[in-house]
């Protein structure tokens, strides 16, 4: 399989504290371990190539090509735009309340429809479950009010291109256009075609749990990478093939000695040599596709 040159990309945004996923955050390592060099360690690149080769022609690749995997935010603000900065802040913080109870529905399945003509039945979530996915708080300050909901459709970018999907259309007080929430659930991620590497082990790999921003015609991705409390942050390398983009993440400035056992998540921008298109994004640590905001 033809591969293109790998690159190293540094942190983009300030870190966010995450749930502790491992005890290896405080593992003793020399000051040089995990530090960004001109060339990534051979073991890490070898692992990325192993994952790319294993994915090619695998049962996991076949399952991925037939499933429904969103590659964009399933919640879409009103088409008319926000009336004020306060409303925008309310949406971004999830400070959204509802007036009255949301209806239940006897419809349990919907259909994903791609422009190619392919379709896929998927379970439909209840309106209240969809509401809770974007309404996280009921606190003082700017807030939005949901006054009703009905079932409709929207479009969303997926791993197989743009698809039309069922959506719950939530009416917001004071708005003529609804807030749209995709109403069908994604397919389960396929199992990895090769075993998982050891996190924080001698190969120095860390996880890339999710994609934060993508665009099929873009030569860049923004991913959420992990690192520990005793280092200077994540570094994400990329190995590109015609079929896949394998991300292999490490940390820079790892320090030895006592360290709290926690995992920090941080957005990292990854530059690509070619547009994303329909290539799958894989995590070298887990050998699984990297989902969008899982």
């Amino acid at each position: 399989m033809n591969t293109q040159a790998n690159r190293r990309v540094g942190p983009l945004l300030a870190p966010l504290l995450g749930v502790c996923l491992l005890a290896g955050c405080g593992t003793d390592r020399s000051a040089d371990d995990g530090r960004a060099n001109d060339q990534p360690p051979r073991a890490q690149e070898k692992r990325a190539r192993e994952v790319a080769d294993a994915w090619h022609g695998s049962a996991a690749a076949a399952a991925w090509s037939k499933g429904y995997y969103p590659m964009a935010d399933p919640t879409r603000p009103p088409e008319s735009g926000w009336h004020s900065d306060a409303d925008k802040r309310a949406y971004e913080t999830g400070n959204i309340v509802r007036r009255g109870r949301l209806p239940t529905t006897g419809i349990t399945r919907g259909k994903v429809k791609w422009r190619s003509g392919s379709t896929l039945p998927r379970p439909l979530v209840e309106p209240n479950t969809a509401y809770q996915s974007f309404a996280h708080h009921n606190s003082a300050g700017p807030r939005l009010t949901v006054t009703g909901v009905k079932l409709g459709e929207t479009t969303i970018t997926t791993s197989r291109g743009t698809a039309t999907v069922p959506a719950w259309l939530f009416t917001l007080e004071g708005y003529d256009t609804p807030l749209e929430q995709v109403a069908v659930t994604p397919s389960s991620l396929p199992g990895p075609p090769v075993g998982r590497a050891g996190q924080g082990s001698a190969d120095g790999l860390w996880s890339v749990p999710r994609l934060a921003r993508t665009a099929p015609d873009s030569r860049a991705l923004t991913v959420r990478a992990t690192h520990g409390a005793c280092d200077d942050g994540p570094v994400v390398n990329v190995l590109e093939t015609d079929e896949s983009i394998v991300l292999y993440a490490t940390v820079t400035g790892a320090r030895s000695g006592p360290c709290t056992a926690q995992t920090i998540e941080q957005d990292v921008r990854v530059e690509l040599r070619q547009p994303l298109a329909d290539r799958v994004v894989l995590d070298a640590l887990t050998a699984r596709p990297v989902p969008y905001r899982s």
Side-chain angles (χ1 to χ4, degrees), residues 27-112:
T27 302
D28 285 349
R29 284 174 281 193
S30 70
D32 290 332
D33 288 346
R35 184 168 294 167
N37 298 316
D38 292 337
Q39 296 293 330
R42 290 184 179 180
Q44 298 163 13
E45 182 179 348
K46 181 180 178 181
R47 168 64 179 182
R49 292 182 182 277
E50 177 187 15
V51 170
D53 291 344
W55 181 265
H56 180 68
S58 67
W64 178 263
S65 69
K66 297 176 182 178
Y68 162 60
Y69 301 102
M71 301 294 285
D73 198 326
T75 309
R76 184 172 298 172
E79 186 177 357
S80 57
W82 297 115
H83 292 175
S84 66
D85 288 341
D87 284 358
K88 183 179 180 180
R89 287 197 303 274
Y91 170 72
E92 291 174 345
T93 59
N95 199 18
I96 303 172
V97 298
R98 66 181 182 225
R99 183 175 298 160
R101 300 182 62 181
L102 296 175
T104 57
T105 176
I107 304 174
T108 59
R109 296 186 74 79
K111 184 177 290 186
V112 181

Side-chain angles (χ1 to χ4, degrees), residues 4 7 12 71 157-158 211-223 238 240-241 244-245 247 268-281 292:
Q4 299 178 356
R7 291 162 305 289
L12 174 68
M71 301 294 285
T157 301
T158 77
L211 299 170
R213 282 187 292 280
T214 65
D217 58 350
S218 174
R219 285 182 167 83
L221 303 171
T222 299
V223 303
V238 57
E240 297 187 48
T241 76
S244 63
I245 295 168
L247 305 176
V268 176
R269 180 180 171 89
V270 178
E271 302 289 343
L272 305 175
R273 289 192 178 274
Q274 299 295 329
L276 171 62
D278 59 355
R279 293 183 293 173
V280 62
V281 181
Y292 187 93

Side-chain angles (χ1 to χ4, degrees), residues 185-236:
T185 60
S187 301
S188 298
L189 288 177
V194 66
R196 177 188 177 102
Q199 172 138 349
S201 60
D203 58 18
L205 288 174
W206 287 69
S207 67
V208 182
R210 62 183 67 90
L211 299 170
R213 282 187 292 280
T214 65
D217 58 350
S218 174
R219 285 182 167 83
L221 303 171
T222 299
V223 303
R224 186 65 56 86
T226 59
H227 66 104
C230 292
D231 57 62
D232 294 333
V235 176
V236 180

